[in-house]
Each structure stands twice: as C-alpha cells, then as structure tokens.
Amino acid sequence: MASAYLTHQQKVLRLYKKSLRHLESWCIFRDKYRFYACLLRARFDENKTEKDMVKATMMLKAGEEEFWTNQHPQPYIFPDSPGGTSYERYECYKVPEWVLDHWHPSEKAMYPDYFSKREQWKKLRNQSWEKEVAQLEAETPAVGPKSEALPPARKEGDLPPLWWQFVTRPRERPT
Amino acid sequence: MAARVLQQCVRSFAQPSLRLCSSNLALRVTAVQAVAVHRPLSFAADSRRTRWLVQSRIPSVGVLCRQYGDLPPLTLETIKERVMYVLKLYDKINPEKLQTSSHFMKDLGLDSLDQVEIIMAMEDEFGFEIPDAEAEKLMTPEEIVQYIADKKDVYE
C-alpha cells in the first residue's frame, strides 16, 4: 500500500471480512453460518455498483455502526493473531542472526558449509549497504516515511533496501 | 468387581505410558502400577473412558524419542494441494479452468468480495490469520501458496 490512507474499497472489504468473522462467531453451526453469510453477501452485492461516493461513504458509515452494535463480545480470534492465545508466544525464542557470530569455533565447525557461505553474504551486505542507505535517503520525504513499506530495488543488479533484515529474519515458529 | 476394574485401569494406563519414554520403560510401568494401586477411587471413575482409548502396539525399543501432539509437517506440495482443493470447492470457480497461475480477477472473473471470501477460506483451512494489508495483494493461487509457505517456514 502506497500511502497510509485506506481507499473506500479497502474499507468496504475490511468491513465485509470482520462482519463475516463475527457472524461466524455468532452462528456456530456451519450451515446456519453459510445461510446468513450468503444473505450478508447479497446485501453487499446490491450496493456495490454505487457510483456516488457521498452516498457510498454514508452507507459504509451505516454499515460500520451496524457492525458495532451487532458485534460478538468474544469473537473467534486465531491463535497467532493479535489477541489470540498463541500471539507472540515464541517471540522469546526468535534469536537475531548476529548471535551466530558469537558461536565458539568448535560449534561453528559443526556447520562448515553454512559458515563459509555466511562470510560471502556478509561481504555482499557490506558492499550493498551504502547504496541501500542512499536509496532510502533519496526516496523518503523530508518529514519522515509515510508508511512501513520499503521501496523495491530501482536499478538493475541492486539489492532492495534493508534486505539483510528480511533475509535473516528468524523463523515464525523457532523450535 | 473393583479388583477387575482396577486391573483394567492398570493395563490401560500401562499401555499409553509405554509411548512416553521407552528408556524408562520398567520404571514407568511400575510407577504407574504403584500409583494406580494407591488411588483406586479416582481411577475407577476413568476406567470406562480409558477402555475406549485405542491401544495400539508400538515397537518396544524402537522409537527413543518423545512423541508430542502436532500436525504433520507442511510441504510446498501439500500446501498447493490443499489450496487448490479449497478453491475447487468454491462454487464460483470453474474447476477445469483453475490453474496455479490463474488470476482471480482477470482469468476467473471473480470480485474483490469473492477474493476476501477465498482468503477467509484459506485462513480457515490453515488455521492462521492473514492480515488485510497482505491479503488484498494475493491474487493468484501461486501467491497464496508462497505466502503460506513464507509464514509457516516451509523451505523458504
């Protein structure tokens, strides 16, 4: 997403998704949920070809208010999503990659292939760091970055900015 | 009667304990039997339930490792199969025309609301949430497979 603001379509889709999720929390039996989900989808469908943005925004506002009054007090939240039971549970086991440099040589000898390649990767990082910083400084406006999204690599043979952080990120479920 | 029930309990408790740690086999079984003898009342209540437990034979020395409960590990092929299976079940998609690279909006003629429903079906299938910012960018089954493999650490 380029800017920090949501388009009307994105807002409508988000309302649709969360209303379906809360509907699923209310109608626990699958066939009943399917029935009411189809009705909800029909309600969204009959208004989706609205061209007048003022009217569309008023309908979206009315929809959000209806969602607020009809929401479930304890909706089903997936374990890994914020508010779920397993959210950030394994955060403490996600070790940053620079810890690998502090291993004892006898431990490093257990994985010779990886550590030999690691030196090359680090050299690559050192070479591309200046260009990444230059690209980021050129592309962010003076006030500050508008969103969290990083720009892709613009030139051929160049690596995207802050690629090292992305490539060496810890696993989602470290054992 | 109570003695017979107790014997059944001990046998049924001895069987699953075999799975836990075969190295401490003898110790564990005797410990369970001793525990079972000391607390007859609580076990009598569980006897009926434990009799229904499937007691499968395991190799006596074979697996010297702990067996925790977990789903089978995901591979790229299984993710792709599951994604395609879920998509074929969706009634607005023609199963013959479905490929991994078929775009939802351009090739299959679906709506953005349909795409939201598809993403929700994927969330239900794999059991984790796909945030809205990233869900609106997933437009082909191939992208969905890659995203799920990315999130689930499957041969990145």
Side-chain angles (χ1 to χ4, degrees):
Chain A
M1 209 169 57
S3 73
Y5 297 102
L6 294 174
T7 61
H8 180 84
Q9 186 191 18
Q10 283 170 327
K11 287 184 205 168
V12 169
L13 292 178
R14 281 169 204 230
L15 173 65
Y16 181 57
K17 190 168 176 185
K18 64 185 187 190
S19 53
L20 271 182
R21 283 281 174 224
H22 282 243
L23 186 62
E24 195 179 357
S25 303
W26 279 121
C27 310
I28 49 174
F29 299 110
R30 207 67 198 174
D31 49 352
K32 181 181 173 194
Y33 161 66
R34 198 68 257 164
F35 177 72
Y36 285 105
C38 292
L39 292 183
L40 185 66
R41 175 66 198 264
R43 282 176 66 188
F44 270 83
D45 271 338
E46 66 179 288
N47 293 329
K48 73 178 176 186
T49 52
E50 183 70 48
K51 290 296 167 201
D52 183 13
M53 280 323 290
V54 174
K55 212 165 157 214
T57 324
M58 301 298 285
M59 281 199 283
L60 176 63
K61 185 161 185 276
E64 290 278 357
E65 279 162 10
E66 187 187 337
F67 168 76
W68 183 258
T69 54
N70 293 350
Q71 66 181 320
H72 195 278
Q74 288 163 330
Y76 176 69
I77 303 177
F78 287 100
D80 285 324
S81 46
T85 52
S86 161
Y87 181 56
E88 289 186 339
R89 181 188 279 178
Y90 301 99
E91 260 333 275
C92 57
Y93 302 109
K94 291 183 183 173
V95 183
E97 54 85 26
W98 50 261
V99 169
L100 285 169
D101 294 330
H102 291 270
W103 278 14
H104 195 268
S106 64
E107 294 172 326
K108 284 192 194 177
M110 290 202 277
Y111 301 96
D113 314 330
Y114 176 73
F115 279 97
S116 57
K117 271 193 236 168
R118 190 182 160 75
E119 297 304 313
Q120 294 164 17
W121 281 113
K122 285 207 280 191
K123 252 187 269 179
L124 183 61
R125 174 182 58 153
N126 288 332
Q127 284 161 9
S128 73
W129 178 245
E130 302 294 322
K131 285 185 247 168
E132 288 170 36
V133 171
Q135 182 190 348
L136 279 176
E137 281 185 349
E139 299 207 5
T140 50
V143 185
K146 280 213 176 126
S147 70
E148 297 231 347
L150 290 168
R154 303 285 174 199
K155 285 185 251 164
E156 285 289 325
D158 214 8
L159 289 164
L162 302 180
W163 63 274
W164 181 256
Q165 300 242 348
F166 180 75
V167 167
T168 53
R169 72 191 189 281
R171 286 184 286 182
E172 298 290 327
R173 208 48 87 88
T175 46
Chain B
M1 164 69 175
R4 219 183 325 126
V5 162
L6 258 181
Q7 269 191 0
Q8 281 245 323
C9 298
V10 163
R11 238 179 276 131
S12 61
F13 270 96
Q15 290 280 356
S17 74
L18 280 175
R19 281 188 215 149
L20 286 175
C21 194
S22 50
S23 56
N24 296 352
L25 193 58
L27 275 175
R28 192 61 74 96
V29 169
T30 48
V32 165
Q33 280 177 341
V35 163
V37 163
H38 287 307
R39 288 188 289 170
L41 287 172
S42 55
F43 283 148
D46 295 344
S47 67
R48 207 162 297 189
R49 194 159 33 93
T50 52
R51 247 182 280 150
W52 293 341
L53 278 177
V54 174
Q55 295 163 17
S56 55
R57 292 270 153 217
I58 59 140
S60 53
V61 195
V63 184
L64 286 177
C65 69
R66 298 218 177 148
Q67 295 174 24
Y68 299 114
D70 202 355
L71 294 168
L74 290 172
T75 61
L76 280 173
E77 288 81 25
T78 56
I79 295 176
K80 191 167 89 79
E81 276 169 25
R82 283 164 76 176
V83 167
M84 301 307 277
Y85 183 68
V86 169
L87 285 174
K88 281 176 189 155
L89 286 173
Y90 191 48
D91 58 350
K92 288 191 190 177
I93 296 181
N94 191 359
E96 279 100 53
K97 280 183 32 189
L98 184 64
Q99 304 281 321
T100 45
S101 57
S102 47
H103 197 270
F104 293 139
M105 307 233 178
K106 295 179 206 161
D107 297 332
L108 300 170
L110 295 176
D111 202 5
S112 54
L113 288 170
D114 295 320
Q115 197 253 347
V116 168
E117 286 184 13
I118 288 172
I119 297 294
M120 283 182 66
M122 295 300 151
E123 289 179 1
D124 288 332
E125 168 73 22
F126 289 98
F128 70 98
E129 191 175 6
I130 302 175
D132 293 321
E134 299 172 22
E136 62 199 12
K137 295 179 199 146
L138 300 173
M139 284 293 169
T140 73
E142 184 60 43
E143 283 181 18
I144 296 177
V145 169
Q146 279 172 7
Y147 180 84
I148 293 172
D150 190 33
K151 285 288 156 187
K152 289 280 176 184
D153 310 322
V154 181
Y155 299 125
E156 302 168 50

